[in-house]
Amino acid sequence: MAAVDIPKQHKAVVYDEPGKISTKIETLDTPEPGPGEVLINMYKIPIRSVAPGGGTWAALPYPTPKGQIGGHEGVGVVVKMGPATERAAVQVGQRVGVKWVAGNCGSCPPCLEGYDALCHSAKISGYYT
C-alpha cells in the first residue's frame, strides 16, 4: 500500500455549548495514534440531534464537554498505525467501521454474556473519545 498523505490539520464538528444541541465546524490538529490505536480517515459519520450533545441518555453522567468531536458509528479508512499494533486485526488502507461503544470492561455480566453495549463501564464514541 502506498503511503497516505495525512494532513497536519483537519475539519471536525465539535460540540460548542455543553448541555445543548449546538455544534460548529473547527480546524483541529490531526492527532497521532497512541499505543494500540490507529488513525482513521472518517468519511461517513452520523451526527445525531440527541445525546451525546444534548445529554439526554440516562446512562451518560454529564453533557458532552465543550470542544468534544461529535459523531459515532462511522466508516473510514485506516491511514496510520500507532505503536504496539503489530498484531492488530486491521492494516493501513483497510476500510473499517467504528462502533458506538469505544471500549468496555470485558468483565461485568453484560460483557461476559456478549452484550458489550450494556457494559457498566462502557466508553461511548463521540462522548468519551
Side-chain angles (χ1 to χ4, degrees):
M1 169 117 290
V4 178
D5 183 29
I6 301 171
K8 296 206 181 296
Q9 294 187 314
H10 64 281
K11 293 189 185 282
V13 175
V14 299
Y15 293 105
D16 62 343
E17 294 185 44
K20 296 182 181 178
I21 300 171
S22 179
T23 60
K24 66 180 179 178
I25 297 174
E26 289 188 3
T27 299
L28 304 173
D29 291 335
T30 301
E32 285 291 321
E37 297 178 340
V38 298
L39 181 63
I40 302 171
N41 180 7
M42 303 297 289
Y43 57 82
K44 297 282 185 184
I45 306 171
I47 305 294
R48 299 180 185 209
S49 61
V50 296
T56 59
W57 291 342
L60 301 178
Y62 49 84
T64 302
K66 184 175 182 175
Q68 174 68 46
I69 297 173
H72 62 273
E73 298 174 330
V75 177
V77 175
V78 176
V79 294
K80 188 170 186 180
M81 308 292 287
T85 56
E86 298 80 17
R87 299 170 79 192
V90 298
Q91 58 187 341
V92 170
Q94 185 175 353
R95 185 171 54 175
V96 294
V98 178
K99 291 175 60 167
W100 76 286
V101 175
N104 57 38
C105 72
S107 59
C108 69
C111 283
L112 293 173
E113 293 175 19
Y115 299 106
D116 64 341
L118 301 176
C119 174
H120 298 170
S121 301
K123 301 288 186 217
I124 308 301
S125 297
Y127 182 74
Y128 291 105
T129 60

